Amino acid sequence: MKPLRVIIALAVIAVLLASAAAAPAVGKINVLIVTGQNNHDWRSTTPVLQDILERSGQFRVTVNEHPEACTAADFAPYDVILSNYNGDRWGPVAEQAFLDFIRAGKGFVVIHAANNAFTDWPEYIALIGGYWGATAGHGRQHQFPVRIVDHSHPITRGMSDFLSSTDELYHRLTMMPDIHLLATAFSAEDTGGTGSDEPMVWTVEWQGGRCFHNALGHHAEAMQGEEFAALVQRGTEWAATGTVSAETDVRTLAPQLGAEDEDARYAAKSRLIGMGEPAVAPLMAMVAAGDAQLAGEARDTLIWIAQRWAGTPQAAGIQRWVIHLAGRERAASVRRIAAHMLGLMGDARAVATLKSMLSEDALREDARQALMQIPGPEATQALVEMLGTVGPESQQAILHALGARGDRAATPAAIDAAQSGNLVVRLAAIDALGLIGDPAGAEPLWDIAATGPAELRSPALDAYLRLAYAALEQGRVHRGVTMYRRALALGQSDVQQVAALVGLGVSGRPEMVNDIRPFLGADNPQVRTTAAAALAQIPGAEATAALIGALKALARDERATVIGFLGQRGDSSATPALIAALSDPIPGVRTAAAEALGQLADATAAGPLRAVIERATDPLRAAALDAYVSVADALLGAGETTTAAEAYLYALGAAQAEGAKARALRGAGATGNMAALPTVKAALDADGDVAAAALEAYVQLGDAAARAGDEAQATAIYTDAAGRTTGPQGLSAAQKLQELGVEVDVAAMQGFITNWWIIGPFPNVNREAWGKQYFPEREVVLDKEYELDGQKLAWSAYHAEDIQAIVPLDEILSPTDNKAAYMYAEVTSPQAMKVTFKVGSDDGIKVWLNGEQVFGNNAARGVVVDQDVFEATLKQGTNDILVEVLNGGSDWDAVVRLVDEQNRPLQLEQRRP
């Protein structure tokens, strides 16, 4: 039995469709049901099928019990034929007329035993896609689950699996290969079935026409379920038109909002949201239907529809429906959700409807909330007009809405309300004036803040401060500063003083220093700190001096904060005060001073910072060291490279943390001072970031030697660097050797194998080469010619000129798609050693070392250097490397690099062609 809420949903949908069903059948789909013979009870099932179609309101149905007498003229008025027929052949005239009807792009629907008919009519069998052949049968009648297997097809979208009525489950039908399967059912052995899933519902598109095939529906009782009816209605519509309309989707989906299964409810809701306008009226009806859960799901779906379609071209149509359904004759629950939707997506056209709701106690708050969200002067005016017609509590709510809207057209009304005799209304009006941001509200607010009733002064000053901030945001700095100075002088609370100080600081006006300075000595620490922060934003020596002057009077934790502000200002006139603070008794202040000196990077602080480095412990020592390096950076930027190099080298010797050492190394390299070379070179053997920074500095010193004309020194540095890493520094060093005129194979220096012999292409259809053993895997004889499938193949030499030694097989061999190739190289190792292979390929790759496969990756990808990494062992002497590279289509490349256990490129001797 279906849950009550689903029954209610179905009833609601039926009521909604009643008017459509009673209307003239304009635009309806014309259906011809052919029947009159069947091994099933066609006299009882035909009326059921007719009722299923007609009650949907979509179809005009005619029944013909003598299809054998039909001609083309008899079929012509119809869009689709539904067959409940299983009997004698119709004869050549009717059958040709039927085929012509289908080929003209029209539809056909097969119900249950109609697939038993005409097994000797090939065109009919091709059209229906499956039939009762020699192997067909069924077990005993029973209820069984029907599983939807395609949720994207127009017929079954939005439908969930369902339990059939008591029915025959056909099995082992003879099926055609080109059907589109929509639903299946499991034929259980204990009911006389096959123990397999059997096709139940499918479609066929044949020679321009469409067939919907439903193997369910043995008798009238089997046709009672709403899922069966939905399939017949939707399938008939699809067969006639090639689609299923949004209205049909609503009829199917809306009842599922009341389903017990959460996934089914979610799926139905998602589809209804996506449909938009056609779903509004049925969902509104469900809101009024009475079932709490169903109404809740419908309300939630409507809200999502409003949010989803707001601001789109479809919004206007949805809004028209919502306004139509929000009339006074509608249920309050419907009107309430209509107001909510109009607030989310409405425009000026919704204002009249919402304005009428403002006069109703039950809907006033819903209408106010909606009008608050609708843009434009019409909504503002509606709220303003309502102010004088409602009581204080509603006036308060409307004023809050006007403030939230920020529409200056509401300012006069808010000013008037601020003089109301009701305290609650006056407070709401004051708050609204602050939120609207209209300068016209400033003086009325100031009057209240300065001379109004005590309970209104502080709220009025809060609103006045908001207007001052709005003035700054709008670029009216002078006005904003004037307002902040007035508020600061009035000084009603610490919070308001803080707000005024923030505003004066944001203004950045140097003349504000004297207004702010007194508050550095305020009793409230938040006021003191805010005053310091405000001064920190004001340029000029006077603000710096004010901050320095406040240091001694501030509490210990505040001193560190102000010292931080001094560092951020970048004013070197603060350097002496910060140097003095390095001796402050509070550790946090000393550390803050060191950090601030680093921000200033004033060379005069170098000596004091060095003294701290030599005597202090972390965190002060680390902060001083970091600041000292910042001073060195400033010296370097000023062109004082010798002094900067000395400072970097001192910092390197003093540093303990990796980050500090790396920073000093990079600085030393940037100076180009060759006095740093021994220290930098010694750091090359460090780990992690220190080694990387040392290598970067090392190459920079090589650049300095090259600029100085010392090519021998530059060559030595570049050669050493290129052999230390496969990273960008190593590659850069190798390239710079070429720029110096040194004959060098950059790729080989970076460990790439550049000398190859290549043979191919070999077949690789469906990646067959991965599992095949072509002759290069059995022998490599470079001067031998081979034959494969009538094609002569021979090894050809290739030297990779690319700096990354990528071998472009697609340029060397032809054809390339669905092919494989082999690459062979020899490298000589001075000793047996473990090495790391780094290979890349487009697409799959296998690698053999000295006849043993050491790697394989049957990938489909583009080539990237160092894509795959694996370890192997080279023997002393000559080592044979064989690589197979597979290709599917398009690009075809491969690359191989060898590195040692420290990731340094191996520059091994390679056999040359």
Side-chain angles (χ1 to χ4, degrees):
M1 180 178 292
K2 297 293 179 186
L4 178 61
R5 68 180 66 92
V6 177
I7 296 172
I8 293 172
L10 291 167
V12 169
I13 298 299
V15 169
L16 286 169
L17 295 171
S19 59
V26 177
K28 290 189 177 185
I29 296 170
N30 292 315
V31 184
L32 177 66
I33 297 179
V34 293
T35 186
Q37 293 185 42
N38 206 312
N39 59 321
H40 292 58
D41 185 5
W42 61 270
R43 288 183 174 84
S44 66
T45 54
T46 298
V48 174
L49 291 168
Q50 182 174 4
D51 177 65
I52 286 173
L53 294 173
E54 289 180 338
R55 74 184 186 226
S56 74
Q58 292 176 284
F59 305 97
R60 180 197 291 118
V61 182
T62 302
V63 176
N64 188 319
E65 296 180 6
H66 295 283
E68 73 281 1
C70 289
T71 65
D74 295 314
F75 289 146
Y78 301 101
D79 304 298
V80 58
I81 296 171
L82 183 150
S83 177
N84 191 31
Y85 181 96
N86 177 25
D88 298 333
R89 289 281 295 267
W90 295 344
V93 174
E95 289 178 3
Q96 186 60 50
F98 172 75
L99 293 177
D100 291 343
F101 174 87
I102 297 298
R103 287 167 176 152
K106 298 192 176 184
F108 186 54
V109 176
V110 173
I111 302 296
H112 196 60
N115 70 21
N116 297 190
F118 312 145
T119 57
D120 58 346
W121 185 5
E123 290 88 350
Y124 183 83
I125 296 303
L127 171 64
I128 69 172
Y131 68 98
W132 184 282
T135 61
H138 59 75
R140 67 172 182 271
Q141 294 180 23
H142 65 292
Q143 288 186 285
F144 47 85
V146 178
R147 184 171 68 92
I148 305 298
V149 297
D150 184 354
H151 291 276
S152 63
H153 193 279
I155 295 174
T156 47
R157 68 186 175 204
M159 295 190 69
S160 300
D161 299 350
F162 63 91
L163 185 67
S164 75
S165 301
T166 300
D167 205 342
E168 284 181 347
L169 198 166
Y170 281 179
H171 60 234
R172 295 197 185 99
L173 296 175
T174 300
M175 303 299 297
M176 302 295 104
D178 55 353
I179 71 162
H180 188 114
L181 186 63
L182 302 181
T184 63
F186 181 74
S187 178
E189 293 184 44
D190 59 8
T191 64
T194 60
S196 302
D197 286 325
E198 298 290 346
M200 287 292 106
V201 181
W202 61 90
T203 63
V204 179
E205 297 194 39
W206 182 81
Q207 295 191 6
R210 293 166 299 276
C211 176
F212 169 68
H213 194 137
N214 183 359
L216 301 169
H218 170 69
H219 42 45
E221 291 76 13
M223 297 179 175
Q224 298 308 309
E226 66 263 23
E227 292 90 354
F228 179 88
L231 282 171
V232 171
Q233 292 165 356
R234 297 172 71 93
T236 303
E237 182 179 357
W238 177 85
T241 68
T243 188
V244 173
S245 68
E247 290 75 12
T248 304
D249 277 346
V250 172
R251 184 169 46 252
T252 303
L253 292 165
Q256 294 186 40
L257 292 179
E260 295 291 338
D261 181 67
E262 183 178 353
D263 290 339
R265 292 199 306 274
Y266 178 80
K269 183 180 293 186
S270 297
R271 285 281 302 132
L272 288 164
I273 292 167
M275 290 164 57
E277 182 179 351
V280 172
L283 290 169
M284 285 289 198
M286 288 183 182
V287 170
D291 180 87
Q293 179 178 330
L294 191 61
E297 294 286 352
R299 279 195 300 271
D300 189 47
T301 307
L302 286 164
I303 295 303
W304 277 105
I305 286 173
Q307 293 173 330
R308 162 66 177 83
W309 295 104
T312 70
Q314 289 80 2
I318 295 173
Q319 180 177 244
R320 282 194 297 271
W321 262 111
V322 174
I323 291 172
H324 172 69
L325 294 168
R328 287 180 178 270
E329 73 279 6
R330 306 288 180 177
S333 58
V334 171
R335 300 180 72 204
R336 186 167 289 114
I337 196 65
H340 196 164
M341 292 181 72
L342 292 173
L344 291 169
M345 67 180 306
D347 56 25
R349 289 167 289 188
V351 171
T353 298
L354 294 168
K355 184 178 176 181
S356 70
M357 292 183 185
L358 282 174
S359 62
E360 302 177 52
D361 291 342
L363 295 172
R364 182 175 297 117
E365 179 58 20
D366 299 284
R368 182 190 72 84
Q369 291 280 356
L371 285 167
M372 185 169 65
Q373 299 174 76
I374 293 177
E378 296 85 359
T380 300
Q381 187 60 31
L383 289 166
V384 167
E385 290 174 4
M386 201 66 198
L387 268 177
T389 67
V390 294
E393 186 175 342
S394 294
Q395 286 184 49
Q396 179 190 29
I398 291 172
L399 284 163
H400 286 323
L402 290 170
R405 289 178 61 76
D407 187 342
R408 293 186 180 186
T411 299
I415 291 173
D416 289 343
Q419 304 302 321
S420 166
N422 184 282
L423 178 63
V424 170
V425 174
R426 295 191 73 181
L427 285 168
I430 287 168
D431 186 61
L433 286 169
L435 291 171
I436 291 170
D438 188 346
E443 288 308 308
L445 287 171
W446 176 254
D447 290 341
I448 297 172
T451 62
E455 61 269 31
L456 296 179
R457 290 184 181 183
S458 185
L461 189 58
D462 286 340
Y464 185 76
L465 285 165
R466 283 201 293 269
L467 292 185
Y469 183 73
L472 288 186
E473 281 193 317
Q474 295 159 11
R476 295 180 292 115
V477 178
H478 179 73
R479 180 178 180 84
V481 166
T482 300
M483 294 175 70
Y484 277 127
R485 294 177 81 174
R486 291 174 81 183
L488 193 60
L490 192 61
Q492 291 183 346
S493 73
D494 292 336
V495 172
Q496 289 163 341
Q497 288 178 352
V498 165
L501 288 166
V502 168
L504 292 177
V506 169
S507 76
R509 292 286 186 88
E511 63 268 26
M512 295 299 101
V513 173
N514 289 332
D515 291 86
I516 298 170
R517 192 196 315 263
F519 292 91
L520 292 169
D523 293 334
N524 186 294
Q526 186 179 9
V527 175
R528 293 195 300 269
T529 303
T530 304
L535 285 171
Q537 298 179 75
I538 294 177
E542 189 178 359
T544 301
L547 288 169
I548 292 171
L551 278 175
K552 291 182 180 179
L554 293 172
R556 53 177 61 180
D557 56 335
E558 295 168 3
R559 288 208 297 277
T561 300
V562 172
I563 284 171
F565 292 153
L566 287 169
Q568 294 166 14
R569 288 177 60 75
D571 185 346
S572 61
S573 67
T575 300
L578 295 175
I579 290 173
L582 290 173
S583 302
D584 193 280
I586 307 303
V589 174
R590 296 196 297 270
T591 301
E595 292 170 347
L597 285 169
Q599 290 175 297
L600 295 182
D602 187 340
T604 62
L609 286 169
R610 192 160 174 169
V612 171
I613 294 167
E614 291 171 357
R615 72 169 188 270
T617 57
D618 285 342
L620 176 57
R621 184 178 187 277
L625 183 63
D626 192 54
Y628 187 76
V629 175
S630 294
V631 171
D633 291 342
L635 290 168
L636 178 61
E640 299 181 35
T641 55
T642 301
T643 307
E646 291 173 357
Y648 285 128
L649 292 176
Y650 171 79
L652 182 59
Q656 296 174 344
E658 270 198 14
K661 289 181 179 181
R663 187 180 173 196
L665 280 164
R666 290 188 173 95
T671 66
N673 192 311
M674 300 307 292
L677 183 59
T679 303
V680 170
K681 190 171 184 179
L684 290 171
D685 295 325
D687 297 322
D689 194 37
V690 174
L695 187 62
E696 182 180 333
Y698 194 42
V699 174
Q700 286 180 310
L701 292 175
D703 295 343
R707 286 194 301 271
D710 190 349
E711 293 189 5
Q713 181 73 282
T715 299
I717 291 173
Y718 290 150
T719 301
D720 188 18
R724 287 179 177 271
T725 178
T726 61
Q729 291 295 340
L731 180 59
S732 173
Q735 291 174 305
K736 287 175 179 180
L737 282 172
Q738 283 186 326
E739 293 169 9
L740 285 176
V742 179
E743 290 190 12
V744 61
D745 187 332
V746 173
M749 288 191 76
Q750 285 289 285
F752 291 106
I753 298 179
T754 59
N755 295 310
W756 295 98
W757 281 262
I758 297 168
I759 193 169
F762 296 85
N764 184 38
V765 177
N766 297 320
R767 297 192 181 187
E768 62 181 331
W770 184 259
K772 277 197 170 185
Q773 187 184 55
Y774 291 114
F775 57 78
E777 298 178 32
R778 296 189 294 271
E779 67 171 20
V780 175
V781 182
L782 297 179
D783 57 358
K784 182 177 178 180
E785 186 176 75
Y786 297 85
E787 186 171 330
L788 179 70
D789 298 333
Q791 176 189 14
K792 296 197 179 292
L793 298 175
W795 292 96
S796 61
Y798 180 80
H799 176 72
E801 300 290 344
D802 183 82
I803 61 170
Q804 293 184 314
I806 294 175
V807 179
L809 292 167
D810 51 355
E811 296 177 9
I812 300 168
L813 301 174
S814 181
T816 61
D817 289 352
N818 300 311
K819 299 298 181 181
Y822 290 87
M823 300 163 49
Y824 174 79
E826 294 178 7
V827 297
T828 301
S829 175
Q831 61 191 29
M833 68 172 92
K834 279 189 176 181
V835 299
T836 299
F837 277 75
K838 294 187 173 185
V839 303
S841 63
D842 180 346
D843 291 307
I845 186 170
K846 288 183 183 179
V847 182
W848 290 263
L849 176 61
N850 298 322
E852 178 184 353
Q853 184 175 339
V854 291
F855 181 75
N857 185 359
N858 191 14
R861 62 188 184 183
V863 69
V864 175
V865 173
D866 302 344
Q867 257 173 322
D868 297 319
V869 179
F870 59 93
E871 293 183 349
T873 300
L874 296 181
K875 66 182 181 181
Q876 185 178 17
T878 301
N879 292 264
D880 302 335
I881 299 173
L882 179 67
V883 178
E884 182 186 22
V885 188
L886 284 65
N887 188 39
S890 189
D891 297 339
W892 192 13
D893 306 280
V895 59
V896 178
R897 188 207 307 255
L898 296 175
V899 300
D900 66 13
E901 292 180 283
Q902 285 74 46
N903 198 38
R904 293 177 302 200
L906 286 171
Q907 300 175 11
L908 300 175
E909 179 186 346
Q910 301 181 28
R911 179 178 173 180
R912 294 180 178 275

